[in-house]
Amino acid sequence: MTLQLFGHPFSSYTWKGLIPLYENGTAFTFRNLEDPEASAELEARWPLKLFPVLVEGDRTVLEATAIIEYLHVHHPGPVSLIPADPDLAVQARMLDRVFDNYVMGTMQKPVLNSLLPEERRDPIGLDEAMARLDKVYAWLDAHLEGREWAVGEGFTLADCAAAPSLFYADWVRPIPEALANLRAYRARLLARPSVARCVEEARPYRAYFPLGAPDRD
């Protein structure tokens, strides 16, 4: 049975689903939601039409984190994204939530705010989001002291979440130069072949980004 991943090349959470597939060279078919047929099939499987969604036979897996867990169990490869050490696995899952909820989730506030008519924008909420990003950036910078990757010695679930989160968050709220650990970590993520591939595949869609499409990455 062929794996299918429904998503969009510019979507941060789609990247999170693509990175583990690219890391392990797992065979799959990408169902780009620019295609109306793929979009209609996604809606039939998941009425909320949120993505990515992984399909294998009659099995449908929702949410990027669950997709990575599914691939770890059913399509293991040379890169084990869930650490074998149970304590490290807990840390990887914790950092996965930090990147999704407090980096990516927070940066979506300014993005969505920019899409609203001027009279409906929320300047207080925008300031709060920027302040939260500043706090989580500082926390991550301290956490990354002496580390190459987010958890343990290898590339994990946490890094799959970190790559798209930090890629887009830095467009919204640039990581301060003083936070050298976090800036270097973002650079290492973007240099990793699986992530670099996502960046290149998303490049044609940069005009979709409502706050402008930086050309520095």
Side-chain angles (χ1 to χ4, degrees), residues 139-216:
W139 185 89
L140 287 167
D141 187 75
H143 171 78
L144 289 163
E145 178 69 36
R147 298 174 183 266
E148 180 178 13
W149 303 113
V151 174
E153 300 298 323
F155 191 87
T156 70
L157 164 68
D159 303 297
C160 293
S165 297
L166 293 173
F167 179 80
Y168 286 110
D170 187 56
W171 285 8
V172 171
R173 184 70 161 179
I175 299 168
E177 291 188 10
L179 301 183
N181 296 325
L182 185 57
R183 288 170 62 89
Y185 174 59
R186 182 179 184 273
R188 285 194 297 276
L189 288 168
L190 298 190
R192 194 166 178 99
S194 61
V195 179
R197 182 173 175 180
C198 289
V199 172
E200 290 308 311
E201 290 172 346
R203 197 173 293 277
Y205 303 98
R206 287 195 175 192
Y208 287 2
F209 199 72
L211 299 178
D215 58 7
R216 59 181 164 80

Side-chain angles (χ1 to χ4, degrees), residues 3 17 25 29 51 60 69 84 90 121 130 134 139-140 155 173:
L3 283 169
T29 298
F51 48 89
T60 298
E69 297 271 9
V90 169
R121 292 181 182 175
M130 295 303 191
D134 289 343
W139 185 89
L140 287 167
F155 191 87
R173 184 70 161 179

Side-chain angles (χ1 to χ4, degrees), residues 56-138:
E56 185 170 35
D58 60 359
R59 201 160 195 176
T60 298
V61 184
L62 312 176
E63 296 294 322
T65 298
I67 287 169
I68 295 172
E69 297 271 9
Y70 180 86
L71 292 171
H72 176 75
V73 172
H74 295 283
H75 296 272
V79 181
S80 183
L81 297 168
I82 309 297
D85 182 293
D87 285 333
L88 290 179
V90 169
Q91 290 181 43
R93 291 182 173 102
M94 180 189 76
L95 267 293
D96 169 75
R97 297 293 78 222
V98 169
F99 284 113
D100 275 8
N101 292 331
Y102 307 125
V103 180
M104 184 54 66
T106 302
M107 66 80 60
Q108 286 176 345
K109 172 68 177 180
V111 172
L112 295 175
N113 196 60
S114 71
L115 295 170
L116 295 173
E118 189 70 39
E119 67 274 11
R120 293 183 56 197
R121 292 181 182 175
D122 176 13
I124 295 175
L126 181 62
D127 288 345
E128 289 174 346
M130 295 303 191
R132 174 174 275 202
L133 282 174
D134 289 343
K135 289 179 180 179
V136 75
Y137 283 172

